[in-house]
Amino acid sequence: MTSKVANVRLSEEEFAFIDRLVEDGYFSSRSDFIKTGVKNLIHEISKRKIYEYKENREEPKFTHQELLDSIKKTRKEVYQEIWGE
Amino acid sequence: MNVYLDTNVFLIFVEEDISNCEIILKAAENSLFTPVISFHTFNEISKNLKSRNLKDLAGFLLFYIWSLPDIIVVQREQFRKYEKQYSDLVTDIDDLPHIYAYFEGECDYFVTTNRRLTQMKIRESVNFKSPKEFAEEILGVEGFDTKNGI
C-alpha cells in the first residue's frame, strides 16, 4: 500500500501526551500513534455504518440459501477474472 | 492463534440479524486471535455487494476488515508456489486460493459456512470449523443455534 504525508497541527498538550506514550513504549513514534489512531477511527466508523445498514435494511431480499448461493457465484466469477480459468 | 476467515463469515455478519459470525468478528476486534484472509476475499466481497447495488456498504465492509487488529492478508504472489496443489482434494477449484491462504497464513483454523468444502477430502489437511463450532469450542462462548451454525 502506498502512503502519502499529511501535516497535522496539534496542541502542545496533545504532543506532550503522545510523547509520554512513546516514551513509555506504547507506540514507537508520534507517527505510529497517529497512524494507529486513524486506523482505529476508520474501523469504528466503518463498523457504525455496517450496523446502520443492518438496522435500517428492508426485509432481506435473499433467503439464507440464496445468500450462500450468491457468495458461491461471486467466488467463481472472481476466480475466473483473476486466474483466467 | 491464526484463523482463516472465509468470505462468507463477513457477508453473513452483514446480512443476518443474529449470527455466530458476528461473535467471531467481535473476538477478532478484541485481538483474541489473528485473522487471516486472502486478497480474493476483498474481491469477492466487493463483487458480491456491488452486484446487489450495495457499493457504499462494500466500501465500509472492506475498510472494517482492513482495520481489524493485526489482520494478515495473503497476497497473489504468495500463491504461485502451490501450482494447483490440493486440486484433487476439492470439488470447486475456486476454493483453492482460500486453502492456499490458510497454509500461507500458518493458520490453526479455517472458519467457514461452506459445508460443501468442509466435507471434501481436503478436510484431512485443513482444520475446518463452522462459526458456531469456533465460537463454542475455541473461543469458549455460547453460540447461537442458527442454520448450519452460521
Coordinates of all heavy atoms in Angstrom, one line a residue, chain B residues 6-96:
Chain B
D6 N -13.3 -17.2 6.2 CA -13.8 -17.2 4.8 C -14.7 -16.0 4.5 O -15.3 -15.4 5.4 CB -14.5 -18.6 4.6 CG -14.6 -19.0 3.2 OD1 -14.1 -18.3 2.3 OD2 -15.1 -20.1 2.9
T7 N -14.8 -15.8 3.2 CA -15.6 -14.6 2.8 C -17.0 -14.7 3.4 O -17.6 -13.6 3.7 CB -15.7 -14.6 1.3 OG1 -14.4 -14.7 0.7 CG2 -16.4 -13.4 0.7
N8 N -17.6 -15.9 3.4 CA -19.0 -16.0 3.9 C -19.2 -15.5 5.4 O -20.2 -15.0 5.7 CB -19.5 -17.4 3.8 CG -18.5 -18.4 4.2 OD1 -18.0 -18.4 5.3 ND2 -18.2 -19.4 3.3
V9 N -18.1 -15.6 6.2 CA -18.2 -15.1 7.6 C -18.5 -13.6 7.6 O -19.4 -13.1 8.3 CB -16.8 -15.3 8.3 CG1 -16.8 -14.6 9.6 CG2 -16.6 -16.8 8.4
F10 N -17.9 -12.8 6.7 CA -18.1 -11.4 6.7 C -19.5 -11.0 6.1 O -20.2 -10.1 6.6 CB -17.0 -10.7 5.8 CG -15.7 -10.9 6.4 CD1 -14.8 -11.8 5.9 CD2 -15.2 -10.2 7.5 CE1 -13.5 -12.1 6.4 CE2 -14.0 -10.4 8.1 CZ -13.1 -11.3 7.5
L11 N -19.9 -11.7 5.0 CA -21.1 -11.4 4.4 C -22.3 -11.8 5.2 O -23.4 -11.1 5.3 CB -21.2 -12.0 3.0 CG -20.3 -11.3 2.0 CD1 -20.2 -12.1 0.7 CD2 -20.7 -9.9 1.7
I12 N -22.2 -12.9 5.9 CA -23.3 -13.4 6.8 C -23.4 -12.4 8.0 O -24.5 -12.1 8.4 CB -23.1 -14.8 7.2 CG1 -23.4 -15.7 6.0 CG2 -23.9 -15.2 8.4 CD1 -23.0 -17.1 6.2
F13 N -22.3 -12.0 8.5 CA -22.3 -11.0 9.6 C -23.1 -9.8 9.2 O -23.9 -9.2 10.0 CB -20.9 -10.6 10.0 CG -20.7 -9.2 10.6 CD1 -21.4 -8.9 11.8 CD2 -20.0 -8.2 10.0 CE1 -21.2 -7.6 12.4 CE2 -19.9 -6.9 10.6 CZ -20.5 -6.7 11.7
V14 N -23.0 -9.3 8.0 CA -23.7 -8.1 7.5 C -25.1 -8.4 7.2 O -26.0 -7.6 7.6 CB -23.0 -7.6 6.2 CG1 -23.9 -6.6 5.5 CG2 -21.6 -7.0 6.5
E15 N -25.4 -9.6 6.7 CA -26.8 -9.8 6.2 C -27.7 -10.5 7.3 O -29.0 -10.4 7.1 CB -26.8 -10.7 5.0 CG -26.1 -10.1 3.8 CD -26.9 -8.8 3.3 OE1 -28.1 -8.6 3.8 OE2 -26.4 -8.1 2.5
E16 N -27.2 -11.2 8.3 CA -28.0 -11.8 9.2 C -28.1 -11.0 10.5 O -27.1 -10.5 11.0 CB -27.5 -13.2 9.5 CG -27.4 -14.2 8.3 CD -28.7 -14.7 7.9 OE1 -29.7 -14.7 8.7 OE2 -28.8 -15.2 6.7
D17 N -29.3 -11.0 11.1 CA -29.5 -10.2 12.3 C -28.7 -10.8 13.5 O -28.1 -10.1 14.2 CB -31.0 -10.2 12.7 CG -31.8 -9.4 11.7 OD1 -31.2 -8.5 11.1 OD2 -33.0 -9.6 11.6
I18 N -28.8 -12.1 13.6 CA -28.0 -12.8 14.6 C -27.2 -13.9 14.0 O -27.7 -14.7 13.2 CB -29.0 -13.5 15.6 CG1 -29.8 -12.4 16.3 CG2 -28.3 -14.4 16.6 CD1 -31.0 -13.0 17.2
S19 N -25.9 -13.9 14.3 CA -25.0 -15.0 13.8 C -23.8 -15.2 14.7 O -23.4 -14.3 15.4 CB -24.6 -14.6 12.4 OG -23.7 -13.5 12.4
N20 N -23.3 -16.4 14.5 CA -22.0 -16.7 15.2 C -20.9 -16.0 14.5 O -19.8 -15.7 15.1 CB -21.8 -18.2 15.2 CG -22.9 -18.9 16.1 OD1 -22.9 -18.6 17.3 ND2 -23.7 -19.7 15.5
C21 N -21.1 -15.6 13.3 CA -20.0 -14.8 12.5 C -19.8 -13.5 13.3 O -18.6 -13.1 13.4 CB -20.5 -14.6 11.1 SG -20.7 -16.1 10.2
E22 N -20.8 -12.9 13.8 CA -20.7 -11.7 14.5 C -19.9 -11.9 15.8 O -19.0 -11.0 16.1 CB -22.1 -11.1 14.8 CG -22.0 -9.7 15.5 CD -23.4 -9.1 15.6 OE1 -24.4 -9.7 15.2 OE2 -23.5 -7.9 16.1
I23 N -20.1 -12.9 16.5 CA -19.3 -13.2 17.7 C -17.9 -13.4 17.3 O -17.0 -12.8 18.0 CB -19.8 -14.6 18.3 CG1 -21.2 -14.4 18.8 CG2 -18.9 -15.1 19.4 CD1 -21.9 -15.7 19.3
I24 N -17.6 -14.0 16.2 CA -16.2 -14.2 15.8 C -15.5 -12.9 15.5 O -14.4 -12.7 15.8 CB -16.2 -15.3 14.7 CG1 -16.6 -16.6 15.2 CG2 -14.8 -15.3 14.0 CD1 -16.8 -17.6 14.1
L25 N -16.2 -12.1 14.7 CA -15.6 -10.8 14.4 C -15.4 -9.9 15.6 O -14.4 -9.2 15.6 CB -16.5 -10.1 13.3 CG -16.4 -10.9 11.9 CD1 -17.4 -10.2 10.9 CD2 -15.0 -10.9 11.4
K26 N -16.3 -10.0 16.5 CA -16.1 -9.2 17.8 C -14.8 -9.7 18.5 O -14.0 -8.9 19.0 CB -17.3 -9.3 18.7 CG -18.4 -8.3 18.2 CD -19.5 -8.3 19.2 CE -20.6 -7.3 18.7 NZ -21.9 -7.4 19.3
A27 N -14.6 -11.0 18.4 CA -13.4 -11.6 19.1 C -12.1 -11.1 18.3 O -11.1 -10.8 18.9 CB -13.5 -13.1 19.1
A28 N -12.3 -11.0 17.0 CA -11.1 -10.5 16.2 C -10.8 -9.0 16.5 O -9.7 -8.6 16.6 CB -11.4 -10.7 14.7
E29 N -11.9 -8.3 16.7 CA -11.7 -6.9 17.1 C -11.0 -6.7 18.4 O -10.3 -5.8 18.6 CB -13.1 -6.2 17.2 CG -13.8 -5.9 15.9 CD -15.2 -5.4 16.1 OE1 -15.5 -4.8 17.2 OE2 -16.0 -5.5 15.2
N30 N -11.2 -7.7 19.3 CA -10.6 -7.7 20.6 C -9.3 -8.4 20.7 O -8.8 -8.7 21.7 CB -11.6 -8.2 21.7 CG -12.8 -7.3 21.9 OD1 -12.6 -6.1 21.9 ND2 -14.0 -7.8 21.9
S31 N -8.8 -8.7 19.5 CA -7.4 -9.4 19.4 C -7.4 -10.7 20.1 O -6.3 -11.1 20.6 CB -6.3 -8.5 19.9 OG -6.3 -7.2 19.2
L32 N -8.5 -11.5 20.1 CA -8.4 -12.8 20.7 C -7.8 -13.8 19.8 O -7.5 -14.9 20.2 CB -9.9 -13.2 21.1 CG -10.5 -12.4 22.2 CD1 -11.9 -13.0 22.5 CD2 -9.7 -12.3 23.4
F33 N -7.7 -13.4 18.5 CA -6.9 -14.2 17.6 C -6.5 -13.3 16.4 O -6.9 -12.2 16.3 CB -7.7 -15.4 17.0 CG -9.0 -15.0 16.3 CD1 -8.9 -14.8 14.9 CD2 -10.2 -14.9 16.9 CE1 -10.0 -14.4 14.2 CE2 -11.3 -14.6 16.2 CZ -11.3 -14.3 14.8
T34 N -5.6 -13.8 15.6 CA -5.1 -13.1 14.4 C -5.9 -13.5 13.2 O -5.8 -14.7 12.8 CB -3.6 -13.3 14.2 OG1 -2.9 -12.9 15.4 CG2 -3.1 -12.5 13.0
P35 N -6.7 -12.6 12.6 CA -7.5 -13.0 11.5 C -6.6 -13.0 10.2 O -5.7 -12.2 10.1 CB -8.5 -11.9 11.4 CG -8.0 -10.7 12.1 CD -7.0 -11.2 13.1
V36 N -6.9 -14.0 9.4 CA -6.1 -14.2 8.1 C -7.2 -14.2 7.0 O -8.2 -14.9 7.1 CB -5.3 -15.4 8.1 CG1 -4.5 -15.6 6.8 CG2 -4.3 -15.5 9.3
I37 N -6.9 -13.5 5.9 CA -7.8 -13.6 4.7 C -6.9 -13.6 3.5 O -5.7 -13.5 3.6 CB -8.8 -12.4 4.6 CG1 -8.0 -11.1 4.5 CG2 -9.7 -12.4 5.8 CD1 -8.9 -9.9 4.1
S38 N -7.5 -13.8 2.4 CA -6.8 -13.8 1.1 C -7.2 -12.5 0.4 O -8.2 -11.9 0.6 CB -7.3 -15.0 0.3 OG -7.2 -14.7 -1.1
F39 N -6.3 -12.1 -0.6 CA -6.7 -10.9 -1.4 C -8.0 -11.2 -2.2 O -8.7 -10.3 -2.5 CB -5.5 -10.5 -2.3 CG -5.4 -11.3 -3.6 CD1 -5.9 -10.9 -4.8 CD2 -4.8 -12.6 -3.5 CE1 -5.8 -11.6 -5.9 CE2 -4.6 -13.3 -4.7 CZ -5.1 -12.9 -5.9
H40 N -8.3 -12.5 -2.4 CA -9.5 -12.9 -3.0 C -10.7 -12.4 -2.2 O -11.8 -12.1 -2.8 CB -9.6 -14.4 -3.2 CG -9.1 -14.9 -4.5 ND1 -9.8 -15.5 -5.4 CD2 -7.8 -14.9 -4.9 CE1 -9.0 -15.9 -6.4 NE2 -7.8 -15.5 -6.1
T41 N -10.6 -12.4 -0.9 CA -11.7 -12.1 0.0 C -12.2 -10.7 -0.3 O -13.4 -10.4 -0.4 CB -11.2 -12.1 1.5 OG1 -10.5 -13.3 1.7 CG2 -12.4 -12.0 2.4
F42 N -11.3 -9.7 -0.5 CA -11.7 -8.3 -0.8 C -12.5 -8.3 -2.1 O -13.5 -7.6 -2.3 CB -10.5 -7.4 -0.9 CG -9.9 -7.1 0.4 CD1 -8.5 -7.3 0.6 CD2 -10.6 -6.5 1.4 CE1 -7.9 -6.9 1.9 CE2 -10.1 -6.2 2.7 CZ -8.7 -6.4 2.9
N43 N -11.9 -9.0 -3.1 CA -12.6 -9.0 -4.4 C -14.0 -9.7 -4.4 O -14.9 -9.2 -5.0 CB -11.7 -9.8 -5.4 CG -10.5 -9.1 -5.8 OD1 -10.6 -8.0 -6.5 ND2 -9.3 -9.5 -5.4
E44 N -14.1 -10.7 -3.6 CA -15.4 -11.4 -3.6 C -16.4 -10.6 -2.8 O -17.6 -10.5 -3.3 CB -15.2 -12.8 -2.8 CG -14.4 -13.8 -3.7 CD -14.1 -15.1 -3.0 OE1 -14.6 -15.3 -1.8 OE2 -13.4 -15.9 -3.5
I45 N -16.0 -10.0 -1.8 CA -17.0 -9.1 -1.0 C -17.4 -7.9 -1.9 O -18.6 -7.6 -2.0 CB -16.3 -8.6 0.3 CG1 -16.3 -9.8 1.3 CG2 -17.1 -7.5 0.9 CD1 -15.5 -9.5 2.5
S46 N -16.4 -7.3 -2.5 CA -16.7 -6.1 -3.3 C -17.7 -6.5 -4.4 O -18.7 -5.9 -4.7 CB -15.4 -5.6 -3.9 OG -15.7 -4.5 -4.6
K47 N -17.4 -7.6 -5.1 CA -18.2 -8.0 -6.3 C -19.6 -8.4 -5.8 O -20.6 -8.1 -6.4 CB -17.5 -9.2 -7.0 CG -18.1 -9.4 -8.4 CD -17.3 -10.5 -9.1 CE -17.7 -10.7 -10.5 NZ -17.4 -9.5 -11.3
N48 N -19.7 -9.2 -4.7 CA -21.0 -9.6 -4.2 C -21.9 -8.5 -3.8 O -23.0 -8.4 -4.2 CB -20.8 -10.6 -3.0 CG -22.1 -11.2 -2.6 OD1 -22.9 -10.5 -1.9 ND2 -22.3 -12.4 -2.9
L49 N -21.4 -7.5 -3.1 CA -22.2 -6.4 -2.6 C -22.5 -5.4 -3.7 O -23.6 -4.9 -3.8 CB -21.5 -5.7 -1.4 CG -21.5 -6.5 -0.1 CD1 -20.7 -5.8 0.9 CD2 -22.9 -6.9 0.4
K50 N -21.6 -5.2 -4.6 CA -21.8 -4.3 -5.7 C -22.9 -4.9 -6.7 O -23.7 -4.2 -7.3 CB -20.6 -4.0 -6.5 CG -19.7 -3.0 -5.8 CD -18.4 -2.7 -6.5 CE -17.5 -1.8 -5.7 NZ -16.2 -1.6 -6.3
S51 N -22.9 -6.2 -6.8 CA -23.9 -6.8 -7.7 C -25.3 -6.7 -7.1 O -26.3 -6.8 -7.8 CB -23.6 -8.3 -7.9 OG -23.9 -9.0 -6.7
R52 N -25.4 -6.3 -5.8 CA -26.7 -6.1 -5.2 C -26.9 -4.6 -4.9 O -27.7 -4.2 -4.0 CB -26.8 -6.9 -3.9 CG -26.8 -8.4 -4.2 CD -27.1 -9.2 -3.0 NE -25.9 -9.4 -2.2 CZ -25.9 -9.4 -0.9 NH1 -27.0 -9.0 -0.2 NH2 -24.8 -9.6 -0.2
N53 N -26.1 -3.8 -5.7 CA -26.3 -2.3 -5.5 C -26.0 -1.8 -4.1 O -26.6 -0.9 -3.6 CB -27.6 -1.8 -6.0 CG -27.9 -2.1 -7.5 OD1 -27.0 -1.9 -8.3 ND2 -29.0 -2.6 -7.8
L54 N -25.0 -2.5 -3.5 CA -24.6 -2.1 -2.1 C -23.2 -1.6 -2.1 O -22.3 -2.0 -1.3 CB -24.8 -3.2 -1.1 CG -26.3 -3.7 -1.0 CD1 -26.3 -5.0 -0.2 CD2 -27.1 -2.6 -0.2
K55 N -22.9 -0.7 -3.0 CA -21.5 -0.2 -3.2 C -20.9 0.5 -2.0 O -19.8 0.2 -1.6 CB -21.5 0.8 -4.4 CG -20.1 1.1 -4.9 CD -20.1 2.1 -6.1 CE -18.8 2.6 -6.3 NZ -18.8 3.7 -7.3
D56 N -21.7 1.3 -1.4 CA -21.3 2.0 -0.2 C -21.0 1.0 1.0 O -19.9 1.1 1.6 CB -22.3 3.0 0.3 CG -22.4 4.3 -0.6 OD1 -21.5 4.4 -1.4 OD2 -23.3 5.0 -0.4
L57 N -21.9 0.1 1.1 CA -21.7 -0.9 2.2 C -20.4 -1.7 1.9 O -19.6 -2.0 2.8 CB -22.9 -1.9 2.2 CG -22.8 -3.0 3.3 CD1 -22.8 -2.4 4.7 CD2 -24.0 -3.9 3.1
A58 N -20.2 -2.0 0.6 CA -18.9 -2.8 0.3 C -17.7 -2.0 0.7 O -16.8 -2.6 1.3 CB -18.9 -3.0 -1.2
G59 N -17.7 -0.7 0.5 CA -16.6 0.1 0.9 C -16.4 0.1 2.4 O -15.2 -0.1 2.9
F60 N -17.4 0.2 3.2 CA -17.3 0.2 4.6 C -16.9 -1.1 5.2 O -16.1 -1.2 6.1 CB -18.6 0.7 5.3 CG -18.9 2.1 5.1 CD1 -20.1 2.5 4.5 CD2 -18.0 3.1 5.5 CE1 -20.4 3.9 4.3 CE2 -18.3 4.4 5.4 CZ -19.4 4.8 4.8
L61 N -17.4 -2.2 4.5 CA -17.0 -3.5 5.0 C -15.5 -3.8 4.7 O -14.8 -4.4 5.5 CB -17.9 -4.6 4.4 CG -17.7 -6.0 4.8 CD1 -17.8 -6.2 6.3 CD2 -18.7 -7.0 4.1
L62 N -15.1 -3.4 3.5 CA -13.7 -3.6 3.2 C -12.8 -2.8 4.2 O -11.8 -3.3 4.6 CB -13.4 -3.2 1.8 CG -14.1 -4.0 0.7 CD1 -13.7 -3.5 -0.7 CD2 -13.8 -5.5 0.8
F63 N -13.1 -1.6 4.5 CA -12.3 -0.8 5.5 C -12.4 -1.4 6.9 O -11.4 -1.4 7.6 CB -12.8 0.7 5.5 CG -12.1 1.5 4.5 CD1 -12.8 2.1 3.4 CD2 -10.7 1.7 4.5 CE1 -12.2 2.8 2.5 CE2 -10.1 2.5 3.6 CZ -10.8 3.0 2.5
Y64 N -13.6 -1.9 7.2 CA -13.7 -2.6 8.5 C -12.8 -3.8 8.6 O -12.1 -4.0 9.6 CB -15.2 -3.1 8.7 CG -15.4 -4.0 9.8 CD1 -15.6 -3.6 11.1 CD2 -15.5 -5.4 9.6 CE1 -15.8 -4.5 12.2 CE2 -15.7 -6.3 10.6 CZ -15.8 -5.8 11.9 OH -16.0 -6.7 13.0
I65 N -12.7 -4.6 7.5 CA -11.9 -5.8 7.5 C -10.4 -5.3 7.6 O -9.6 -5.8 8.4 CB -12.1 -6.6 6.3 CG1 -13.6 -7.2 6.4 CG2 -11.1 -7.8 6.2 CD1 -14.0 -7.8 5.1
W66 N -10.1 -4.4 6.7 CA -8.7 -3.9 6.6 C -8.2 -3.4 7.9 O -7.0 -3.6 8.3 CB -8.6 -2.8 5.5 CG -7.3 -2.1 5.5 CD1 -6.1 -2.5 5.0 CD2 -7.1 -0.8 6.1 NE1 -5.2 -1.5 5.2 CE2 -5.7 -0.5 5.9 CE3 -7.9 0.1 6.7 CZ2 -5.2 0.7 6.3 CZ3 -7.3 1.3 7.2 CH2 -6.0 1.6 6.9
S67 N -9.0 -2.8 8.8 CA -8.6 -2.2 10.0 C -8.8 -3.2 11.2 O -8.7 -2.7 12.4 CB -9.4 -0.9 10.2 OG -10.8 -1.1 10.2
L68 N -9.1 -4.4 11.0 CA -9.1 -5.4 12.1 C -7.7 -5.5 12.6 O -6.7 -5.5 11.9 CB -9.6 -6.8 11.6 CG -11.1 -6.9 11.5 CD1 -11.4 -8.3 10.8 CD2 -11.9 -6.8 12.8
P69 N -7.5 -5.6 13.9 CA -6.2 -5.6 14.5 C -5.3 -6.7 13.9 O -5.7 -7.9 13.9 CB -6.4 -5.8 16.0 CG -7.8 -5.4 16.3 CD -8.6 -5.7 15.0
D70 N -4.1 -6.3 13.5 CA -3.1 -7.3 13.0 C -3.5 -8.2 11.9 O -2.9 -9.3 11.8 CB -2.6 -8.1 14.2 CG -2.0 -7.2 15.3 OD1 -1.3 -6.3 14.9 OD2 -2.2 -7.5 16.5
I71 N -4.5 -7.9 11.2 CA -5.0 -8.8 10.1 C -3.9 -9.1 9.1 O -3.1 -8.2 8.8 CB -6.3 -8.2 9.4 CG1 -6.9 -9.3 8.5 CG2 -6.0 -7.0 8.6 CD1 -8.3 -9.0 8.1
I72 N -3.9 -10.4 8.7 CA -2.9 -10.8 7.7 C -3.7 -11.0 6.4 O -4.7 -11.8 6.3 CB -2.2 -12.1 8.1 CG1 -1.4 -11.9 9.4 CG2 -1.4 -12.7 7.0 CD1 -0.9 -13.2 10.0
V73 N -3.2 -10.3 5.3 CA -3.8 -10.5 4.0 C -2.8 -11.2 3.1 O -1.8 -10.7 2.8 CB -4.2 -9.2 3.4 CG1 -4.9 -9.4 2.0 CG2 -5.2 -8.4 4.3
V74 N -3.2 -12.5 2.7 CA -2.2 -13.2 1.9 C -2.4 -12.7 0.4 O -3.5 -12.7 -0.1 CB -2.5 -14.7 2.0 CG1 -1.6 -15.5 1.1 CG2 -2.4 -15.2 3.5
Q75 N -1.3 -12.4 -0.2 CA -1.3 -11.8 -1.5 C -1.1 -12.8 -2.6 O -0.6 -13.9 -2.4 CB -0.2 -10.7 -1.5 CG -0.4 -9.6 -0.5 CD -1.6 -8.8 -0.7 OE1 -2.2 -8.7 -1.8 NE2 -2.1 -8.1 0.4
R76 N -1.4 -12.3 -3.8 CA -1.4 -13.2 -5.0 C 0.0 -13.9 -5.2 O 0.1 -15.1 -5.5 CB -1.7 -12.3 -6.2 CG -1.7 -13.0 -7.5 CD -2.0 -12.1 -8.7 NE -2.1 -12.9 -9.9 CZ -3.0 -12.6 -10.8 NH1 -3.9 -11.6 -10.7 NH2 -3.0 -13.4 -11.9
E77 N 1.1 -13.1 -5.0 CA 2.4 -13.6 -5.3 C 2.7 -14.9 -4.4 O 3.5 -15.7 -4.7 CB 3.5 -12.6 -5.0 CG 3.3 -11.2 -5.6 CD 2.3 -10.4 -4.8 OE1 2.6 -10.0 -3.7 OE2 1.2 -10.2 -5.3
Q78 N 2.1 -14.9 -3.2 CA 2.3 -16.0 -2.3 C 1.6 -17.3 -2.7 O 1.9 -18.3 -2.1 CB 1.8 -15.6 -0.9 CG 2.6 -14.4 -0.3 CD 2.0 -13.9 1.0 OE1 1.2 -13.0 1.0 NE2 2.3 -14.6 2.1
F79 N 0.7 -17.2 -3.7 CA 0.0 -18.4 -4.1 C 0.8 -19.2 -5.2 O 0.6 -20.4 -5.4 CB -1.3 -18.0 -4.8 CG -2.3 -17.5 -3.8 CD1 -3.5 -16.9 -4.3 CD2 -2.1 -17.6 -2.4 CE1 -4.5 -16.5 -3.4 CE2 -3.1 -17.1 -1.6 CZ -4.2 -16.5 -2.0
R80 N 1.7 -18.5 -5.9 CA 2.3 -19.1 -7.1 C 3.0 -20.4 -6.8 O 2.9 -21.4 -7.6 CB 3.3 -18.1 -7.7 CG 2.7 -16.9 -8.2 CD 3.5 -16.1 -9.2 NE 2.9 -14.8 -9.5 CZ 1.9 -14.7 -10.4 NH1 1.3 -15.7 -10.9 NH2 1.4 -13.5 -10.6
K81 N 3.6 -20.6 -5.7 CA 4.4 -21.8 -5.4 C 3.5 -23.1 -5.3 O 3.9 -24.2 -5.4 CB 5.2 -21.7 -4.2 CG 4.4 -21.5 -2.9 CD 5.3 -21.3 -1.7 CE 4.6 -21.2 -0.4 NZ 5.4 -20.7 0.7
Y82 N 2.2 -22.9 -5.1 CA 1.3 -24.0 -4.9 C 0.9 -24.8 -6.2 O 0.7 -26.0 -6.2 CB 0.0 -23.6 -4.1 CG 0.3 -23.2 -2.7 CD1 0.5 -21.9 -2.3 CD2 0.4 -24.2 -1.7 CE1 0.8 -21.6 -1.0 CE2 0.6 -23.9 -0.4 CZ 0.9 -22.6 0.0 OH 1.1 -22.2 1.3
E83 N 0.9 -24.0 -7.3 CA 0.7 -24.6 -8.6 C -0.4 -25.7 -8.6 O -0.1 -26.9 -8.9 CB 2.0 -25.2 -9.1 CG 3.0 -24.1 -9.4 CD 4.3 -24.6 -9.9 OE1 4.5 -25.8 -9.8 OE2 5.1 -23.8 -10.4
K84 N -1.5 -25.3 -8.2 CA -2.7 -26.3 -8.3 C -2.6 -27.4 -7.2 O -3.4 -28.4 -7.3 CB -2.9 -26.8 -9.7 CG -3.3 -25.8 -10.7 CD -4.8 -25.5 -10.5 CE -5.4 -24.6 -11.6 NZ -4.6 -23.7 -12.3
Q85 N -1.7 -27.3 -6.3 CA -1.7 -28.3 -5.2 C -3.0 -28.4 -4.6 O -3.7 -27.4 -4.5 CB -0.6 -27.9 -4.2 CG 0.0 -29.0 -3.4 CD 1.0 -28.5 -2.4 OE1 1.6 -27.4 -2.7 NE2 1.3 -29.2 -1.4
Y86 N -3.4 -29.6 -4.2 CA -4.7 -29.9 -3.5 C -5.9 -29.9 -4.4 O -7.0 -30.0 -3.9 CB -4.9 -28.9 -2.3 CG -3.8 -28.9 -1.3 CD1 -3.1 -27.7 -1.1 CD2 -3.5 -30.0 -0.5 CE1 -2.0 -27.6 -0.2 CE2 -2.4 -29.9 0.4 CZ -1.7 -28.7 0.6 OH -0.7 -28.6 1.5
S87 N -5.7 -29.6 -5.7 CA -6.9 -29.5 -6.6 C -7.6 -30.8 -6.6 O -8.8 -30.8 -6.9 CB -6.5 -29.0 -7.9 OG -5.5 -29.9 -8.5
D88 N -7.0 -31.9 -6.3 CA -7.7 -33.2 -6.4 C -8.5 -33.4 -5.1 O -9.2 -34.4 -4.9 CB -6.7 -34.4 -6.6 CG -5.6 -34.4 -5.6 OD1 -5.2 -33.3 -5.1 OD2 -5.0 -35.4 -5.3
L89 N -8.3 -32.6 -4.1 CA -9.0 -32.7 -2.8 C -10.2 -31.9 -2.6 O -10.8 -31.9 -1.6 CB -8.0 -32.5 -1.7 CG -6.7 -33.3 -1.7 CD1 -5.8 -33.0 -0.5 CD2 -7.0 -34.8 -1.7
V90 N -10.5 -31.0 -3.6 CA -11.7 -30.1 -3.5 C -12.5 -30.3 -4.8 O -12.0 -30.7 -5.8 CB -11.3 -28.6 -3.4 CG1 -10.5 -28.4 -2.1 CG2 -10.5 -28.1 -4.6
T91 N -13.8 -30.0 -4.6 CA -14.6 -30.1 -5.8 C -14.6 -28.8 -6.6 O -14.6 -28.8 -7.8 CB -16.1 -30.3 -5.4 OG1 -16.1 -31.5 -4.6 CG2 -17.0 -30.5 -6.6
D92 N -14.6 -27.7 -5.9 CA -14.6 -26.4 -6.6 C -13.2 -25.8 -6.5 O -12.7 -25.4 -5.5 CB -15.6 -25.5 -5.9 CG -17.0 -26.0 -5.9 OD1 -17.4 -26.5 -7.0 OD2 -17.7 -26.0 -4.9
I93 N -12.6 -25.6 -7.7 CA -11.3 -25.1 -7.8 C -11.2 -23.7 -7.3 O -10.1 -23.3 -6.8 CB -10.8 -25.3 -9.3 CG1 -9.3 -25.2 -9.4 CG2 -11.4 -24.2 -10.2 CD1 -8.7 -25.6 -10.7
D94 N -12.3 -23.0 -7.3 CA -12.2 -21.6 -6.9 C -12.1 -21.5 -5.3 O -11.9 -20.4 -4.8 CB -13.5 -20.8 -7.4 CG -14.7 -21.6 -7.3 OD1 -15.3 -21.7 -6.2 OD2 -15.2 -22.2 -8.3
D95 N -12.2 -22.6 -4.7 CA -11.9 -22.6 -3.2 C -10.4 -22.6 -2.9 O -10.0 -22.3 -1.8 CB -12.6 -23.8 -2.5 CG -14.1 -23.6 -2.4 OD1 -14.6 -22.5 -2.2 OD2 -14.8 -24.7 -2.5
L96 N -9.6 -23.0 -3.9 CA -8.2 -23.2 -3.7 C -7.4 -22.0 -3.2 O -6.6 -22.1 -2.3 CB -7.5 -23.8 -5.0 CG -7.7 -25.2 -5.3 CD1 -7.1 -25.6 -6.6 CD2 -7.2 -26.1 -4.1

